[in-house]
Structures are given as C-alpha cells and as structure tokens.
Amino acid sequence: MTIDRVILVPLAVADADDMVEVLAGQDLYAFIGGTPPTLTELRNRYAKLVAGRSPDGRQEWLNWIIRRRSDNQAIGTVQATVADGEAEIAWVVGLPWQGHGYAREAARLLVEELTTRGVRHLRAHIHPDHHASMAVASHVGLAPTDHFHDGERLWERVDGGLV
C-alpha cells in the first residue's frame, strides 16, 4: 500500500533488524509506556505477530512497517487488531521522523485498508496529553469519547464517519 511519501509493507520477522533502531528512543515511550526493545525481543514479538491471528483465533492481527517511499527507510509501524467488523488501531513513528506527517499518511492508508476489508468500527486509545496522536486520529475521522481505559481516552469512528 502506498500513498504520497509512505509505503505500508506487511510485517516480517526480518524487519526487526531495521525497527530496533526506529524504536530505540526512550522518549518514544513517554505516552505509550514501556522501554525500547532489544533485537531479540523484537524478533520474538514479530514472530508471534506475523502469525496473523491471536492464539484463540478470534482476532486477526494486521501489522505493517511504515517505510519512506523515497528510500525504503523503515520509520514506524501501524497495526490493527480486528474482530467482528471492528478494529483497534495504533501507530508509532520513530523520533527522527515525527512531526513530518508520516503518521497521518500511514494511518490514512491503514484506515483505507480496513474499510476495504469491511471494518466499520474503528477505535484507538490515546493518552490525553499526546496531541500529535490526537491530530492523527482526527485526520482519519476518529472522534474522542468520554471513555477512558488505563489513562487513555477512547477515540472512535463508526461506519466510515464520526461517532
């Protein structure tokens, strides 16, 4: 999938080699929690994700690497957990590439792909101080709700429009 400056490439275990550097900045985890993964941790995680389904088979796991079209540089990821026509979506762009609109372009591609697959209800959980992610969510038609989970606000879009 391609748009403007980014390409979404289906996740492969080998992508861990590129992504370990993309995900290395500690500041990247200020809103999402956690710490930068080691190469081994990332390879193990990707090995589970490329299976494409949760262990119980009830959820489809869709994961893509965001790459710049100009040079194929890995700059982040987008993902969706899909079940029953609904998807929980997320995006992460490495620190050096933030603030350039890459997350917005990648999220737009993700939403277009999910809509093509028949997903009509999209959700994202966003920290209330993460203004950049809120802007990305708004750009793809998600709207904030009054619901919070683990300190993050639920944003939703239903049937291709705002909630």
Side-chain angles (χ1 to χ4, degrees):
M1 295 181 285
T2 305
I3 193 169
D4 301 328
R5 301 171 300 148
V6 299
I7 302 168
L8 298 187
V9 180
L11 178 72
V13 174
D15 290 319
D17 294 347
D18 289 340
M19 290 302 298
V20 73
E21 292 300 319
V22 174
L23 301 174
Q26 183 61 49
D27 289 347
L28 188 60
Y29 302 88
F31 295 113
I32 62 175
T35 59
T38 66
L39 180 57
T40 300
E41 290 169 339
L42 203 52
R43 284 179 179 158
N44 290 338
R45 179 169 188 226
Y46 286 3
K48 292 175 185 173
L49 292 176
V50 297
R53 290 200 112 22
S54 62
D56 64 9
R58 293 176 27 184
Q59 297 175 328
E60 184 178 16
W61 293 341
L62 304 173
N63 293 272
W64 291 272
I65 300 298
I66 306 168
R67 293 188 177 273
R68 280 193 312 214
R69 187 163 59 166
S70 63
D71 61 4
N72 208 39
Q73 168 73 49
I75 61 171
T77 64
V78 293
Q79 62 188 46
T81 301
V82 181
D84 301 322
E86 300 182 359
E88 177 83 20
I89 63 174
W91 48 88
V92 175
V93 171
L95 294 171
W97 303 280
Q98 290 181 6
H100 300 283
Y102 293 123
R104 182 174 58 192
E105 290 180 28
R108 189 168 111 208
L109 271 177
L110 173 63
V111 168
E112 288 173 4
E113 174 66 18
L114 293 170
T115 301
T116 299
R117 291 172 180 246
V119 174
R120 297 292 176 246
H121 186 175
L122 301 172
R123 292 182 305 273
H125 286 86
I126 301 173
H127 190 283
D129 294 329
H130 199 321
H131 300 288
S133 277
M134 288 187 269
V136 171
S138 290
H139 178 77
V140 296
L142 278 76
T145 71
D146 293 331
H147 301 285
F148 285 82
H149 180 74
D150 290 336
E152 295 182 320
R153 180 185 295 269
L154 174 64
W155 288 62
E156 290 186 300
R157 171 179 151 166
V158 178
D159 293 325
L162 297 176
V163 175

